[in-house]
Structure formats: structure tokens, C-alpha cells
Amino acid sequence: LPDNYATRLCGAAEPGQTLLCDSVLGYARELPTRPYQPLHLRGFGENCRAHLLRPLPAPGPRAADES
């Protein structure tokens, strides 16, 4: 996708949110996401699909032999 599509997604996100397009999600299916509301992105029309990146779980304590 064009760089300006990513720019539009960044502009549509609320502070602290990260929105992913379908193409990016295809490379990172293991990321915790949920579908986001359809967006109207200037230059790309209405009903653009996006996925909201959910917060990653905090890592657990590390064992002494893992450092």
C-alpha cells in the first residue's frame, strides 16, 4: 500500500492507538488485534478496513538462568 495510506491510518487513530491495514496484519497474524470501525480515509474512499492493535501482555518474571 502507498505510504499515504499508512499516514491516513495514523491520522485516524486516537492517541495511544495503533491501527493496522490488512496487508500488515497478513505479515503479523500473531499480534493481538480486533477489527476497527470502517474508516473514511481521504483519497481511499469509505469503508476502509483497519485493525486495532491491542496492548501486548506484560512479560512475566524472568528466571535467573534466562538472562
Side-chain angles (χ1 to χ4, degrees):
L1 288 172
D3 291 339
N4 55 341
Y5 191 84
T7 301
R8 299 280 186 253
L9 282 178
C10 288
E14 298 293 325
Q17 288 183 332
T18 301
L19 297 178
L20 307 174
C21 65
D22 287 338
S23 296
V24 170
L25 187 60
Y27 289 106
R29 294 239 177 250
E30 70 281 355
L31 290 175
T33 63
R34 67 171 179 80
Y36 196 69
Q37 65 193 11
L39 298 169
H40 179 192
L41 301 177
R42 187 170 50 113
F44 297 95
E46 297 181 23
N47 297 321
C48 294
R49 292 172 36 124
H51 306 271
L52 177 65
L53 180 63
R54 296 188 333 231
L56 297 173
R62 297 180 75 183
D65 62 340
E66 289 183 289
S67 48

